[in-house]
């Protein structure tokens, strides 16, 4: 059982359909498998650039794809619920126990409420998740009804994440349309997430840099 088998699993797809539908009604941006696949593949890319093993990359892909599955149960505790759901699914698929425990722990620890970032797989998922800021994630069509999340995501015209293995540096480069949202709005919304990304970079023994509209802001 590998990442491509997980992508085809219909139980997981059903959880995401329901979770994303509920979040849509509550005014949240997209949390479908489009987001979670991006997180899976970006997390693996970060670990690959920093020299981690193919086994660790594969665990990061699976945990990254499953990280938001708990939204089907409850948004505020989706990390914890998601870990429990994923544990059941992966057990049914006969995943090796040690691998399953790692994946479950990474899912449970991917949110801002967590003070410490325990391991490199969780760290890569956190950075991949918190840096997925894109206009395409906005679901509200009425600009007047935008919340801060909609506004900032709508303003981001491009996002790029690069890793420099020799300097162990992770660089997030964002371009924001300042006629839609200011850089201040971005930091207002992302302060907690950026702090978590900085802690995650520490766990990866790397430095995180952020450029917004050509200016180094972190
Ligand atoms: Fe999440
Ligand atoms: Fe997410």
């Amino acid at each position: 059982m590998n990442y491509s088998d997980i992508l085809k699993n219909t139980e997981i797809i059903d959880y995401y359909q329901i979770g994303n539908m509920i979040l849509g009604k509550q005014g949240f941006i997209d949390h479908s498998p489009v987001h979670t696949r991006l997180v899976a593949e970006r997390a693996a890319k970060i670990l690959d650039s920093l020299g981690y093993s193919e086994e660790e990359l594969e665990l990061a892909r699976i945990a990254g794809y499953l990280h938001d599955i708990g939204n089907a149960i409850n948004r505020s505790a989706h990390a914890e619920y998601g870990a429990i759901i994923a544990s059941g699914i992966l057990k049914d698929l006969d995943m090796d126990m040690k691998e399953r425990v790692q994946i479950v722990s990474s899912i449970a620890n991917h949110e801002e409420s967590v003070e410490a970032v325990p391991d490199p797989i969780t760290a890569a998922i956190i950075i991949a998740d918190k840096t997925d800021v894109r206009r395409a994630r906005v679901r509200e069509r009425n600009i007047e009804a935008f919340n801060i999340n909609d506004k900032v995501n709508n303003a981001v015209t491009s996002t790029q994440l690069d890793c420099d293995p020799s300097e162990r540096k992770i660089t997030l480069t964002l371009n924001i349309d300042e006629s839609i949202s200011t850089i201040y709005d971005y930091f207002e919304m992302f302060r907690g997430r950026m702090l978590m990304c900085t802690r995650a970079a520490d766990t990866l023994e790397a430095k995180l840099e952020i450029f917004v509209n050509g200016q180094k802001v972190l």
Side-chain angles (χ1 to χ4, degrees), residues 31 35 67-68 71 75 78-79 110-111 129-130:
H31 284 73
H35 162 65
H67 80 279
D68 274 339
N71 284 328
R75 174 63 193 173
H78 76 280
H110 84 270
E111 280 302 336
D129 184 35
K130 308 309 169 203

Side-chain angles (χ1 to χ4, degrees), residues 52-86:
Y52 289 88
S53 69
E54 179 48 43
E55 289 72 27
E56 288 164 299
L57 268 58
E58 183 69 355
L59 291 179
R61 286 185 198 102
I62 297 172
Y65 182 62
L66 293 171
H67 80 279
D68 274 339
I69 198 167
N71 284 328
I73 310 298
N74 177 285
R75 174 63 193 173
S76 60
H78 76 280
E80 294 87 340
Y81 282 115
I84 294 164
I85 295 168

Side-chain angles (χ1 to χ4, degrees), residues 1-4 6-7 16 35-50 52-68 86 90 95 98-107 110 119-129 204:
M1 195 258 305
N2 56 27
Y3 176 56
S4 38
I6 293 285
L7 290 180
Y16 275 123
H35 162 65
T36 61
R37 281 186 72 152
L38 185 148
V39 170
E41 281 147 41
R42 186 175 282 176
K45 185 186 148 191
I46 294 167
L47 292 178
D48 191 25
S49 308
L50 296 175
Y52 289 88
S53 69
E54 179 48 43
E55 289 72 27
E56 288 164 299
L57 268 58
E58 183 69 355
L59 291 179
R61 286 185 198 102
I62 297 172
Y65 182 62
L66 293 171
H67 80 279
D68 274 339
L90 297 174
M95 177 176 254
K98 274 201 169 352
E99 294 184 346
R100 180 163 50 87
V101 170
Q102 171 64 64
I103 289 170
V104 163
S105 171
S106 292
I107 296 169
H110 84 270
D119 61 83
I121 291 170
T122 310
I125 289 166
I126 288 167
I127 295 172
D129 184 35
L204 291 164

